[in-house]
């Protein structure tokens, strides 16, 4: 039982389980009925995506200092009770079920999912790569 952190739209791995889209917007031009079959996500959970303003910070970050500013802003958003409870829930579920969380970004190192991975780890999540 474990979490995978994935790029949405990529092929699923065996036993990946439910795929959760932690993105602000659904994929463009894709009918809702095809989200799961095209490997985008099974459940949309925008609560764990950066706000539009924070997302702009991340997309514009070209220096380590700018990326650090994005990371601070995103972590502050995820510290709100509704987000921190969701992160704690997913971390706990990772010990009982396989599932994946993801975003569209090509490079995880320059994506909110790298920070989300850290937040989940800080809450005791179990990851597939470590299982």
């Amino acid at each position: 039982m474990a979490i995978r952190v994935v790029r949405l739209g990529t092929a699923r791995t065996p036993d990946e389980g439910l795929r959760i889209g932690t993105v602000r917007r659904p994929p463009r031009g894709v009918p809702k009925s095809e989200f799961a079959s095209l490997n985008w996500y099974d459940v949309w959970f925008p609560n764990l995506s950066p706000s539009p303003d924070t997302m702009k910070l991340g997309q514009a970050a070209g220096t380590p200092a700018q990326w650090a500013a994005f990371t601070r802003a995103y972590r502050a958003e995820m510290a709100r009770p509704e987000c921190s409870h969701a992160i704690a829930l997913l971390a706990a579920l990772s010990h009982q079920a396989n599932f994946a969380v993801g975003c569209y970004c090509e490079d995880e190192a320059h994506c909110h999912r790298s920070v989300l991975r850290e937040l989940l780890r800080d809450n005791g999540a179990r990851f597939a790569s470590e299982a």
Side-chain angles (χ1 to χ4, degrees):
M1 306 305 150
I3 298 175
R4 285 182 169 75
V5 180
V6 301
R7 181 177 184 201
L8 300 178
T10 59
R12 294 175 190 246
T13 59
D15 299 322
E16 180 177 300
L18 186 75
R19 187 173 276 199
I20 303 168
T22 62
V23 291
R24 181 66 39 202
R25 307 225 185 302
R28 293 180 186 182
V30 180
K32 187 176 182 178
S33 62
E34 295 180 20
F35 288 174
S37 65
L38 294 177
N39 294 322
W40 292 107
Y41 52 76
D42 301 302
V43 177
W44 183 32
F45 197 43
N47 307 50
L48 297 183
S49 68
S51 68
D53 288 339
T54 299
M55 188 168 50
K56 288 177 188 174
L57 280 176
Q59 290 171 333
T63 66
Q66 291 170 329
W67 182 252
F70 162 78
T71 299
R72 281 190 303 276
Y74 179 61
R75 283 181 169 274
E77 290 175 356
M78 294 301 104
R80 293 187 321 245
E82 64 274 16
C83 296
S84 65
H85 293 310
I87 289 167
L89 173 66
L90 292 178
L93 285 173
S94 73
H95 295 270
Q96 303 295 320
N98 291 332
F99 61 94
V101 295
C103 180
Y104 308 123
C105 298
E106 185 174 351
D107 180 8
E108 181 180 330
H110 195 74
C111 176
H112 80 279
R113 70 181 188 264
S114 65
V115 181
L116 182 57
R117 179 189 294 272
E118 293 171 3
L119 293 169
L120 289 162
R121 180 174 281 118
D122 292 348
N123 277 268
R126 183 173 181 200
F127 292 89
S129 60
E130 302 164 356

